Amino acid sequence: MVSDAPRPLLSVSNIEVIYDHVILVLKGVSLTVPEGGIVALLGANGAGKSTTLKAISGLLRTERGEVTKGAIEFRGRAIHRRNPSEVVKHGIVQVMEGRHVFEHLTVEENLLTGAYTRHNGQSTKKDLDVVYHYFPRLTERRGFKAGYVSGGEQQMVAIGRALMARPTLMLLDEPSMGLAPMLVTEIFEIVARLNRAEGVAVLLAEQNATMALQVARHGYVMENGRIVLDGDAKAISENEDIKEFYLGLTGVGQRKSYRDVKHYRRRKRWLS
Amino acid sequence: MVDVVYAVLVAPFKDMAGSPAFLVEVLIGGVFAGLMYSLVALGFVLIFKASGVFNFAQGVMVLFAALTLVGLLERGVPVVLALALTTAVMVALAFAIERFVLRPLVNQEHIILFMATIGLNFFLEGFGEMLWGANVKKLDIGIPDRSFVVRGVQINELELTAAVTAALLVTLLAMFFQKTRIGRALRAVADDHEAALSIGIPLKTIWVVVWSVAGVVAIVAGLMWGAKSGVQFSLSLIALKALPVLILGGFESVPGAIVGGLIIGIGEKVGEVYWGPLVGGAIENWFAYVLALAFLLARPQGLFGEKIIERV
Ligand SMILES: Nc1ncnc2c1ncn2[C@@H]1O[C@H](COP(=O)(O)OP(=O)(O)OP(=O)(O)O)[C@@H](O)[C@H]1O
Ligand SMILES: [Mg+2]
């Protein structure tokens, strides 16, 4: 089920990541993303999801992090020594946690910066239309400073901006963060449509496992810098431990109150 | 007591009204000086915005550019070619700075980068003098330092050319920032460099561009100021005037650098001419700093300090 294709689009093999030369954060993480697939990377605060994505995109180095062991291959090519700009040119774009829009640029300028690595003005115009097609809300906001649009719209700007680079693989880091449930649903639906219609593969890091497992076909659960569980999205969402301690579900699809979920999160090391 | 009030609050304005043509001349002089300050401040702002580095060497870059230009002219290189070569030198300098100063120090504390630019300052000062000598030089670019009279107002040709050039440069820069792909990328980096990296904007390229632009701005400033008062070490000291301009205009604001420069240039000239005699002159020397101090107390983010957009 992991991959129908003989070779996955992305394969991360047994990587170790160290920050500041001493802080060991990832302790042998392996995962694969198939061509055109959506894979969820789940885990609580500090599990190492963002670090994994940054290791892939090359953003790690700006935070003094380093991949010290293992390998990351994209279409069979090693990319873990590349800088972020080269990685983008290879077809991988990360949408960072917390949106990170360019606040003083307009929404449209934000989108246009996403096309930086591609020089063709003609196709840029076309891609802009594609983004507005998927995010019609942004059309009305195109002339607004991105710092002043709503959080949901900022998340759309961030995803749209990444799309402008025409990625084969998008690394989405907690797109649900700080957004109302309705908006989260809307954004996840768009991501699923993008995946279906444009064929963009997605590696989705999320704390909101319920939502993530609805769009993903495959999932990995991280804890403390290790993958502790992986499998078919459906299987994971039906896993009793996950249900009980992670998804915060009781009964059928009922979400427990935030405080309850927090309580479970505080009970660390639930799987090891 | 009444006399003092009269001398400070009334007499200068009577003088101004009495001879409007002279007032206009003073204002023009102020605009000229102000534009030079603006240009130097602009160099600071560009670099600060794009890399968060406070470039202590900006003033010396002006001197270095002027020295290079004069050196080439003295060796008989035609003006246009000399300008092109000086531009090439400043761009090469930008590459070298990225390679040997910024790249090794990336991710270091700002104070370390600041100290690196102090090092750069002394290096450029020494290097410039080694190449071109330390004596005062005259910079002659073929624009005569003479005046013509329009409606009783004396206008200096050199100052006029300088003002027009500076205004043109600023307009071009604004267009570059607003309309081009690289300009947009520069603003993106200034806003959030990590996000800029995440979509593939290479910081190295951006730094080279920004230092090159600062280098070109330094050439124009050095050219104008040098043509007016000769090329010598003191040229690098106009950077000291750029500091109050930055405080006035905001460290990250291009329009702020321009307006701040004009306010200080005009303010100090008018102050010197009309109020100078009351305090025995030399207002020009401290006006900028006193104004900056007042601003620091009243509006520390400057006139145009970029709004920090806050949201949850
Ligand atoms: N730049 C850094 N320097 C040192 N340690 C870091 C750095 N960034 C992250 N860490 C540490 O690495 C661990 C994993 O962090 P990471 O951000 O990858 O987790 P995460 O799963 O994305 O968490 P969250 O859900 O809160 O975003 C944490 O313990 C964190 O403190
Ligand atoms: Mg994270």
Side-chain angles (χ1 to χ4, degrees):
Chain A
M1 197 60 204
V2 178
S3 60
D4 322 314
R7 193 175 68 193
L9 181 65
L10 175 81
S11 90
V12 174
S13 331
N14 214 11
I15 56 166
E16 185 179 279
V17 167
I18 296 184
Y19 280 112
D20 276 323
H21 300 290
V22 288
I23 310 167
L24 176 64
V25 171
L26 295 192
K27 305 150 188 168
V29 168
S30 300
L31 57 84
T32 60
V33 178
E35 195 94 41
I38 301 185
V39 171
L41 184 58
L42 310 172
N45 274 319
K49 306 179 294 294
S50 299
T51 303
T52 308
L53 297 197
K54 284 179 189 162
I56 300 167
S57 66
L59 286 179
L60 209 54
R61 248 174 295 163
T62 61
E63 298 191 15
R64 307 210 209 185
E66 209 186 337
V67 179
T68 46
K69 274 187 197 152
I72 302 174
E73 286 185 356
F74 185 65
R75 297 189 150 144
R77 285 224 219 121
I79 56 164
H80 55 280
R81 302 243 179 283
R82 309 263 161 188
N83 63 45
S85 178
E86 288 172 315
V87 174
V88 172
K89 282 185 190 150
H90 275 86
I92 303 179
V93 184
Q94 175 166 1
V95 179
M96 290 199 293
E97 180 179 323
R99 310 191 277 264
H100 284 268
V101 296
F102 303 122
E103 295 188 333
H104 298 96
L105 272 63
T106 65
V107 165
E108 182 146 312
E109 286 174 333
N110 265 272
L111 298 178
L112 287 171
T113 53
Y116 183 88
T117 50
R118 303 169 47 242
H119 301 253
N120 189 336
Q122 275 297 313
S123 68
T124 304
K125 181 78 193 60
K126 229 189 283 158
D127 292 350
L128 210 51
D129 291 339
V130 171
V131 172
Y132 286 133
H133 167 74
Y134 282 98
F135 300 101
R137 274 170 183 245
L138 295 185
T139 322
E140 305 148 35
R141 295 274 182 267
R142 66 207 303 172
F144 284 51
K145 288 248 160 51
Y148 291 116
V149 303
S150 75
E153 286 159 352
Q154 288 191 341
Q155 187 63 60
M156 294 177 185
V157 170
I159 297 174
R161 183 177 67 186
L163 272 182
M164 292 295 288
R166 288 259 186 110
T168 328
L169 170 64
M170 194 184 289
L171 310 172
L172 260 181
D173 199 349
E174 298 207 35
S176 75
M177 197 172 83
L179 300 184
M182 286 256 293
L183 262 171
V184 176
T185 311
E186 184 180 341
I187 284 175
F188 275 46
E189 273 168 16
I190 296 172
V191 170
R193 267 173 59 212
L194 276 169
N195 169 259
R196 254 179 285 128
E198 310 288 323
V200 185
V202 179
L203 178 56
L204 172 63
E206 262 298 346
Q207 287 196 37
N208 188 338
T210 321
M211 286 303 301
L213 290 172
Q214 277 170 25
V215 291
R217 270 154 257 176
H218 197 87
Y220 291 85
V221 179
M222 278 192 98
E223 163 134 323
N224 257 315
R226 287 194 178 86
I227 303 279
V228 288
L229 181 75
D230 93 270
D232 185 68
K234 202 151 166 268
I236 293 189
S237 47
E238 278 162 11
N239 179 304
E240 285 305 318
D241 284 337
I242 303 264
K243 258 197 206 157
E244 180 68 13
F245 298 110
Y246 196 74
L247 297 179
L249 293 172
T250 50
V252 199
Q254 273 275 329
R255 189 153 189 188
K256 277 191 178 176
S257 80
Y258 178 63
R259 192 180 290 150
D260 288 338
V261 177
K262 265 270 242 254
H263 168 73
Y264 282 122
R265 286 212 181 118
R266 262 184 258 129
R267 282 164 53 178
K268 281 224 153 175
R269 314 203 53 85
W270 50 271
L271 259 175
S272 46
Chain B
M1 181 62 200
V2 176
D3 283 353
V4 174
V5 172
Y6 181 83
V8 173
L9 293 180
V10 184
F13 296 102
K14 267 179 82 178
D15 289 349
M16 289 182 200
S19 166
F22 181 62
L23 175 62
V24 172
E25 276 169 30
V26 173
L27 288 178
I28 291 176
V31 169
F32 171 78
L35 280 171
M36 293 307 118
Y37 302 153
S38 299
L39 281 180
V40 181
L42 202 57
F44 273 114
V45 169
L46 292 176
I47 289 174
F48 188 77
K49 265 177 91 87
S51 52
V53 178
F54 184 84
N55 180 22
F56 187 80
Q58 189 65 35
V60 172
M61 278 170 68
V62 174
L63 175 68
F64 186 77
L67 278 175
T68 307
L69 190 64
V70 173
L72 290 169
L73 289 173
E74 276 179 350
R75 279 157 188 75
V77 181
V79 176
V80 176
L81 183 62
L83 276 172
L85 284 174
T86 309
T87 308
V89 168
M90 295 313 279
V91 172
L93 183 66
F95 272 96
I97 289 170
E98 189 280 318
R99 180 65 193 83
F100 299 110
V101 182
L102 301 178
R103 203 187 298 179
L105 294 179
V106 72
N107 284 341
Q108 297 291 337
E109 302 288 334
H110 282 177
I111 186 72
I112 293 181
L113 280 159
F114 172 66
M115 290 199 288
T117 69
I118 296 182
L120 182 66
N121 180 78
F122 289 112
F123 170 76
L124 278 181
E125 199 180 306
F127 188 58
E129 286 183 0
M130 186 185 88
L131 283 181
W132 309 112
N135 45 336
V136 181
K137 294 185 175 65
K138 195 158 163 31
L139 176 59
D140 185 4
I141 47 166
I143 302 164
D145 192 358
R146 61 164 186 242
S147 303
F148 55 93
V149 180
V150 185
R151 289 167 187 251
V153 178
Q154 286 221 5
I155 295 175
N156 181 293
E157 251 178 76
L158 186 66
E159 291 187 359
L160 186 68
T161 317
V164 171
T165 312
L168 213 67
L169 180 72
V170 168
T171 315
L172 279 175
L173 279 178
M175 271 161 53
F176 170 66
F177 276 105
Q178 289 304 319
K179 301 287 173 213
T180 65
R181 167 172 162 271
I182 301 267
R184 206 161 40 226
L186 280 171
R187 284 185 294 138
V189 171
D191 244 19
D192 188 331
H193 73 276
E194 212 184 349
L197 269 175
S198 82
I199 50 170
I201 295 174
L203 290 188
K204 288 172 194 164
T205 313
I206 296 301
W207 286 338
V208 171
V209 171
V210 130
W211 282 77
S212 299
V213 171
V216 170
V217 170
I219 296 175
V220 176
L223 183 69
M224 298 308 165
W225 203 266
K228 188 82 192 148
S229 32
V231 176
Q232 52 190 310
F233 174 74
S234 68
L235 200 55
S236 64
L237 298 181
I238 57 170
L240 293 180
K241 274 285 169 58
L243 194 61
V245 171
L246 291 170
I247 291 170
L248 217 63
F251 278 78
E252 304 211 1
S253 168
V254 171
I258 295 157
V259 176
L262 288 175
I263 291 177
I264 286 183
I266 293 172
E268 66 182 22
K269 280 283 183 295
V270 170
E272 180 73 48
V273 172
Y274 292 100
W275 281 272
L278 294 176
V279 292
I283 283 184
E284 240 175 317
N285 295 338
W286 53 256
F287 176 82
Y289 305 100
V290 173
L291 192 62
L293 197 63
F295 253 79
L296 272 183
L297 297 174
R299 200 180 151 78
Q301 77 272 39
L303 279 175
F304 293 80
E306 214 155 56
K307 261 212 203 116
I308 295 162
I309 300 177
E310 291 215 41
R311 62 160 53 255
V312 204

